[in-house]
C-alpha cells in the first residue's frame, strides 16, 4: 500500500511496504521532515524530471556496513599507503554533492534523482551540521567523495562519486576508520552494489536497523 502525506509533519508506519520499499508520496524536503524520515529509516528518492512531489522509501531489508567489519583488500591498502590522495571531512560538501549529481552524465540520464531541489535540501542539512561529506583530493583537485546524513552515531549514505579509479572506495574506508575511532555504529548504504558487498556490506532487517539507529 502506498500512502499519501500532506503538509502535516508525519509519516505512516512502515507496514505493508511495497516490495521495492516505496512507502508514501507527498510532503516536502524541509529539514524537519528529512530528519523525521531518516530517524525512522525512511529516505526520499524520486526522478526530479518525472515526479512533482517526493517519493519516500523504507526498505524492510537494509544494506549496511559496520565500521569495524569493513573489508579492505590488499590492493586498496597498497594504494592507500602510497599517499597519492588526501582525504578530508566536510571541507567541500557542495563540490561532493555536485560531483555525485554530474559524474558520468548522471544528471542527464533517465530517472536522475539528484536535482537542484534535492541538492539544496542536503546543503541546508549540512549547514545545520546534520549532513556530512568525505572528500578525496589529488593535489587541489577534488577527484571523489561521498555524502550522507548523520543520525546520532550512524551515517546514512546518500551518494558517492569517483573521477579516478577507487576514489569513492578511499572515501568509504576513511569514513569507516573515522567512525570506528569515534564510536560510530553503522553506515547505511541504502542500495546493494558489488563493490559495497565486497567491502563488507550485508543485509539486516528493518527491525535490527531501527534498534541500532535508536541506540546510537
Amino acid at each position: 500500500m502506498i500512502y499519501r502525506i500532506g503538509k502535516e509533519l508525519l509519516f505512516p508506519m512502515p507496514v505493508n511496504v511495497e516490495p521495492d520499499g516505496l512507502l508514501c508520496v507527498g510532503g516536502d524536503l524541509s529539514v524537519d521532515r528529512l530528519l523525521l524520515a531518516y530517524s525512522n529509516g525512511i529516505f526520499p528518492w524520486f526522478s526530479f524530471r518525472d515526479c512533482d512531489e517526493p517519493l519516500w522509501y523504507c526498505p524492510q531489508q537494509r544494506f549496511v556496513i559496520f565500521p569495524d567489519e569493513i573489508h579492505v583488500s590488499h590492493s586498496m591498502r597498497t594504494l592507500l599507503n602510497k599517499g597519492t590522495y588526501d582525504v578530508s571531512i566536510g571541507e567541500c560538501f557542495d563540490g561532493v554533492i555536485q560531483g555525485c549529481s554530474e559524474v558520468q552524465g548522471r544528471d542527464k540520464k533517465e530517472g536522475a534523482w539528484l536535482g537542484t531541489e534535492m541538492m539544496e535540501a542536503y546543503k541546508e542539512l549540512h549547514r545545520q551540521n546534520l549532513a556530512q561529506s568525505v572528500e578525496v583530493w589529488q593535489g587541489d583537485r577534488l577527484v571523489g567523495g561521498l555524502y550522507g546524513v548523520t543520525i546520532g552515531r550512524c551515517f546514512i549514505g546518500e551518494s558517492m562519486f569517483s573521477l579516478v579509479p577507487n576514489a569513492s572506495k578511499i572515501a568509504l574506508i576513511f569514513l569507516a576508520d573515522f567512525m570506528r575511532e569515534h564510536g560510530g555504529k553503522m553506515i547505511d548504504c541504502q542500495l546493494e552494489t558489488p563493490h559495497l558487498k565486497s567491502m563488507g556490506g550485508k543485509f539486516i532487517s528493518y527491525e535490527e536497523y531501527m534498534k541500532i539507529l535508536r541506540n546510537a
Side-chain angles (χ1 to χ4, degrees):
M1 179 182 295
I2 303 173
Y3 299 89
R4 171 165 290 281
I5 57 176
K7 295 182 179 180
E8 190 175 357
L9 194 61
L10 55 78
F11 285 97
M13 292 290 292
V15 295
N16 299 321
V17 178
E18 293 294 296
D20 64 355
L22 181 59
L23 174 64
C24 59
V25 57
D28 54 37
L29 297 176
S30 66
V31 168
D32 288 343
R33 189 179 299 277
L34 285 169
L35 286 182
L36 178 62
Y38 282 104
S39 296
N40 287 279
I42 301 166
F43 58 88
W45 188 27
F46 60 99
S47 169
F48 65 84
R49 293 191 183 93
D50 303 320
C51 300
D52 295 327
E53 50 191 342
L55 304 180
W56 301 89
Y57 287 77
C58 186
Q60 298 302 286
Q61 292 293 311
R62 313 306 293 249
F63 196 69
V64 305
I65 292 177
F66 295 108
D68 59 353
E69 295 180 5
I70 192 166
H71 174 70
V72 183
S73 67
H74 176 73
S75 60
M76 280 302 302
R77 282 293 179 199
T78 300
L79 177 61
L80 291 169
N81 291 335
K82 286 182 178 179
T84 305
Y85 304 105
D86 295 315
V87 187
S88 59
I89 292 181
E91 289 189 6
C92 192
F93 186 92
D94 289 8
V96 168
I97 199 170
Q98 195 72 37
C100 290
S101 171
E102 296 178 351
V103 68
Q104 297 179 336
R106 285 178 183 172
D107 57 332
K108 304 296 192 298
K109 294 179 180 178
E110 183 179 354
W113 60 272
L114 197 48
T116 301
E117 183 184 11
M118 187 78 85
M119 287 194 290
E120 288 302 319
Y122 288 101
K123 288 178 184 179
E124 182 57 33
L125 284 175
H126 176 65
R127 285 190 284 269
Q128 298 192 29
N129 201 33
L130 301 168
Q132 198 53 270
S133 59
V134 178
E135 303 88 18
V136 180
W137 305 89
Q138 189 172 31
D140 294 331
R141 181 190 178 209
L142 180 66
V143 295
L146 59 82
Y147 79 95
V149 178
T150 53
I151 299 293
R153 288 178 287 167
C154 295
F155 185 90
I156 318 301
E158 277 296 318
S159 189
M160 56 176 59
F161 82 103
S162 295
L163 298 180
V164 297
N166 296 313
S168 61
K169 289 184 179 181
I170 292 171
L172 183 59
I173 293 167
F174 184 90
L175 173 65
D177 287 346
F178 181 89
M179 290 183 67
R180 183 171 57 247
E181 292 172 6
H182 293 83
K185 297 299 183 182
M186 178 176 68
I187 300 170
D188 180 0
C189 302
Q190 292 190 348
L191 299 176
E192 179 186 9
T193 68
H195 96 257
L196 289 174
K197 185 175 182 179
S198 72
M199 296 179 72
K202 63 182 180 182
F203 283 104
I204 62 173
S205 68
Y206 173 71
E207 289 75 17
E208 184 179 353
Y209 177 92
M210 286 306 302
K211 182 178 180 181
I212 296 169
L213 198 63
R214 287 169 177 153
N215 288 340

